[in-house]
Coordinates of all heavy atoms in Angstrom, one line a residue:
S320 N -2.6 11.9 -16.9 CA -3.5 13.0 -17.1 C -2.8 14.3 -16.8 O -1.8 14.4 -16.1 CB -4.8 12.8 -16.3 OG -4.5 13.0 -14.9
A321 N -3.4 15.4 -17.1 CA -2.9 16.8 -16.8 C -2.9 17.0 -15.3 O -1.9 17.6 -14.8 CB -3.7 17.8 -17.5
E322 N -3.9 16.5 -14.7 CA -4.0 16.6 -13.2 C -2.9 15.8 -12.5 O -2.2 16.3 -11.6 CB -5.3 16.1 -12.7 CG -5.5 16.3 -11.2 CD -6.9 15.9 -10.7 OE1 -7.8 15.8 -11.6 OE2 -7.0 15.7 -9.5
E323 N -2.6 14.6 -13.0 CA -1.5 13.8 -12.4 C -0.2 14.5 -12.6 O 0.7 14.5 -11.7 CB -1.5 12.4 -13.0 CG -2.7 11.5 -12.5 CD -2.8 10.2 -13.2 OE1 -2.6 10.2 -14.5 OE2 -3.0 9.2 -12.6
R324 N 0.0 15.0 -13.8 CA 1.3 15.7 -14.1 C 1.5 16.9 -13.2 O 2.6 17.2 -12.8 CB 1.3 16.1 -15.6 CG 2.6 16.6 -16.1 CD 2.5 16.9 -17.6 NE 3.8 17.2 -18.1 CZ 4.5 16.4 -18.9 NH1 4.0 15.2 -19.2 NH2 5.7 16.7 -19.3
Y325 N 0.4 17.6 -13.0 CA 0.5 18.8 -12.2 C 0.9 18.4 -10.7 O 1.7 19.0 -10.1 CB -0.9 19.5 -12.2 CG -0.9 20.7 -11.3 CD1 -0.6 22.0 -11.8 CD2 -1.4 20.7 -10.0 CE1 -0.6 23.1 -11.0 CE2 -1.4 21.8 -9.1 CZ -1.0 23.0 -9.6 OH -1.0 24.1 -8.8
K326 N 0.2 17.4 -10.2 CA 0.5 16.9 -8.9 C 2.0 16.4 -8.8 O 2.7 16.7 -7.8 CB -0.4 15.8 -8.5 CG -1.8 16.2 -8.2 CD -1.9 17.0 -7.0 CE -3.4 17.3 -6.7 NZ -3.5 18.1 -5.5
M327 N 2.5 15.7 -9.8 CA 3.9 15.3 -9.8 C 4.8 16.5 -9.8 O 5.8 16.5 -9.0 CB 4.1 14.4 -11.0 CG 3.4 13.1 -11.0 SD 3.5 12.2 -12.5 CE 5.2 11.6 -12.5
T328 N 4.5 17.5 -10.5 CA 5.3 18.7 -10.6 C 5.3 19.4 -9.2 O 6.3 19.9 -8.7 CB 4.8 19.6 -11.7 OG1 4.8 18.9 -12.9 CG2 5.7 20.9 -11.8
E329 N 4.1 19.5 -8.6 CA 3.9 20.1 -7.4 C 4.8 19.4 -6.3 O 5.5 20.1 -5.5 CB 2.5 20.1 -7.0 CG 2.1 20.7 -5.7 CD 0.6 20.7 -5.4 OE1 0.0 19.6 -5.7 OE2 0.0 21.6 -4.9
V330 N 4.8 18.1 -6.2 CA 5.5 17.4 -5.3 C 7.0 17.6 -5.5 O 7.8 17.8 -4.6 CB 5.1 15.9 -5.3 CG1 6.1 15.1 -4.4 CG2 3.7 15.7 -4.8
A331 N 7.4 17.5 -6.8 CA 8.9 17.7 -7.1 C 9.3 19.1 -6.7 O 10.4 19.2 -6.2 CB 9.1 17.4 -8.6
A332 N 8.5 20.1 -7.0 CA 8.9 21.4 -6.6 C 9.0 21.6 -5.1 O 10.0 22.3 -4.6 CB 7.9 22.4 -7.2
Y333 N 8.2 21.0 -4.4 CA 8.2 21.0 -2.9 C 9.6 20.5 -2.4 O 10.3 21.0 -1.6 CB 7.1 20.3 -2.3 CG 7.2 20.2 -0.8 CD1 6.8 21.3 0.0 CD2 7.8 19.1 -0.2 CE1 7.0 21.2 1.4 CE2 7.9 19.0 1.2 CZ 7.5 20.1 2.0 OH 7.7 20.0 3.3
F334 N 9.9 19.3 -3.0 CA 11.2 18.7 -2.5 C 12.4 19.4 -2.9 O 13.4 19.5 -2.2 CB 11.2 17.2 -3.0 CG 10.4 16.3 -2.2 CD1 9.3 15.7 -2.8 CD2 10.6 16.1 -0.8 CE1 8.5 14.8 -2.0 CE2 9.8 15.3 -0.1 CZ 8.7 14.6 -0.7
L335 N 12.3 20.1 -4.1 CA 13.5 20.9 -4.5 C 13.6 22.1 -3.6 O 14.7 22.5 -3.1 CB 13.2 21.4 -5.9 CG 13.4 20.4 -7.1 CD1 12.9 21.0 -8.4 CD2 14.9 20.0 -7.2
A336 N 12.5 22.7 -3.2 CA 12.5 23.8 -2.3 C 13.0 23.4 -0.9 O 13.8 24.1 -0.2 CB 11.1 24.5 -2.2
E337 N 12.5 22.3 -0.5 CA 12.9 21.7 0.9 C 14.4 21.5 0.9 O 15.1 21.8 1.9 CB 12.1 20.5 1.2 CG 12.4 19.9 2.5 CD 11.7 18.6 2.8 OE1 11.7 17.7 1.9 OE2 11.2 18.4 3.9
R338 N 14.9 20.9 -0.2 CA 16.4 20.6 -0.2 C 17.2 21.9 -0.1 O 18.3 22.0 0.4 CB 16.7 19.9 -1.5 CG 18.1 19.4 -1.5 CD 18.5 18.7 -2.8 NE 17.4 18.0 -3.4 CZ 17.3 17.8 -4.7 NH1 18.3 18.2 -5.5 NH2 16.3 17.1 -5.2
N339 N 16.6 23.0 -0.6 CA 17.3 24.3 -0.6 C 16.9 25.2 0.7 O 17.3 26.3 0.8 CB 16.9 25.1 -1.9 CG 17.9 26.3 -2.1 OD1 19.0 26.3 -1.6 ND2 17.4 27.2 -2.9
G340 N 16.2 24.6 1.6 CA 15.8 25.3 2.8 C 14.7 26.4 2.5 O 14.6 27.3 3.3
F341 N 13.9 26.3 1.5 CA 12.9 27.2 1.1 C 13.4 28.6 1.0 O 12.7 29.6 1.3 CB 11.7 27.1 2.1 CG 11.1 25.8 2.2 CD1 11.4 24.9 3.2 CD2 10.1 25.4 1.3 CE1 10.8 23.6 3.3 CE2 9.6 24.1 1.3 CZ 9.9 23.2 2.3
K342 N 14.6 28.8 0.6 CA 15.2 30.1 0.5 C 15.1 30.7 -0.9 O 15.4 31.9 -1.1 CB 16.7 30.1 0.9 CG 16.8 29.7 2.4 CD 18.3 29.6 2.7 CE 18.4 29.1 4.2 NZ 19.8 28.9 4.5
G343 N 14.8 30.0 -1.9 CA 14.8 30.5 -3.3 C 13.5 30.9 -3.8 O 12.5 31.1 -3.0
N344 N 13.4 31.2 -5.0 CA 12.2 31.6 -5.7 C 11.3 30.4 -6.0 O 11.7 29.5 -6.7 CB 12.5 32.4 -7.0 CG 11.4 33.0 -7.6 OD1 10.2 32.9 -7.2 ND2 11.6 33.8 -8.7
P345 N 10.0 30.4 -5.6 CA 9.1 29.3 -5.9 C 8.9 29.1 -7.4 O 8.7 27.9 -7.8 CB 7.8 29.7 -5.2 CG 8.1 30.8 -4.2 CD 9.4 31.4 -4.7
V346 N 9.0 30.1 -8.2 CA 8.8 29.9 -9.6 C 10.0 29.1 -10.2 O 9.8 28.3 -11.1 CB 8.6 31.3 -10.3 CG1 8.6 31.1 -11.8 CG2 7.4 32.0 -9.8
E347 N 11.1 29.4 -9.7 CA 12.3 28.6 -10.2 C 12.2 27.2 -9.8 O 12.6 26.3 -10.6 CB 13.6 29.3 -9.6 CG 13.9 30.6 -10.2 CD 15.2 31.2 -9.6 OE1 15.9 30.5 -8.9 OE2 15.4 32.4 -9.9
Y348 N 11.7 26.9 -8.6 CA 11.5 25.5 -8.1 C 10.5 24.8 -9.1 O 10.7 23.7 -9.4 CB 11.0 25.4 -6.7 CG 12.0 25.9 -5.7 CD1 11.6 26.8 -4.7 CD2 13.4 25.6 -5.7 CE1 12.5 27.2 -3.7 CE2 14.3 26.0 -4.8 CZ 13.9 26.9 -3.8 OH 14.7 27.3 -2.8
W349 N 9.5 25.6 -9.4 CA 8.4 25.0 -10.2 C 9.0 24.7 -11.6 O 8.7 23.6 -12.2 CB 7.2 25.9 -10.3 CG 6.1 25.3 -11.0 CD1 5.7 25.3 -12.3 CD2 5.1 24.5 -10.3 NE1 4.6 24.6 -12.5 CE2 4.1 24.1 -11.3 CE3 4.8 24.2 -9.0 CZ2 3.0 23.3 -11.0 CZ3 3.7 23.4 -8.7 CH2 2.9 23.0 -9.7
E350 N 9.8 25.6 -12.2 CA 10.3 25.4 -13.5 C 11.3 24.2 -13.5 O 11.3 23.4 -14.4 CB 11.0 26.6 -14.0 CG 10.1 27.7 -14.3 CD 10.8 29.1 -14.6 OE1 12.0 29.2 -14.3 OE2 10.1 30.0 -15.1
Q351 N 12.1 24.1 -12.5 CA 13.0 22.9 -12.4 C 12.2 21.6 -12.2 O 12.6 20.6 -12.8 CB 13.9 23.1 -11.1 CG 15.0 24.1 -11.3 CD 15.8 24.3 -10.0 OE1 15.5 23.7 -9.0 NE2 16.7 25.2 -10.0
A352 N 11.2 21.6 -11.5 CA 10.3 20.4 -11.3 C 9.7 20.0 -12.6 O 9.6 18.9 -12.9 CB 9.3 20.7 -10.2

Side-chain angles (χ1 to χ4, degrees):
S320 70
E322 184 178 342
E323 289 173 318
R324 189 180 189 103
Y325 179 87
K326 290 287 185 184
M327 291 171 74
T328 306
E329 183 178 40
V330 170
Y333 174 82
F334 284 115
L335 287 169
E337 182 183 42
R338 190 179 330 151
N339 195 24
F341 299 100
K342 295 179 184 175
N344 185 356
V346 175
E347 290 178 12
Y348 295 134
W349 191 268
E350 290 172 349
Q351 289 175 358

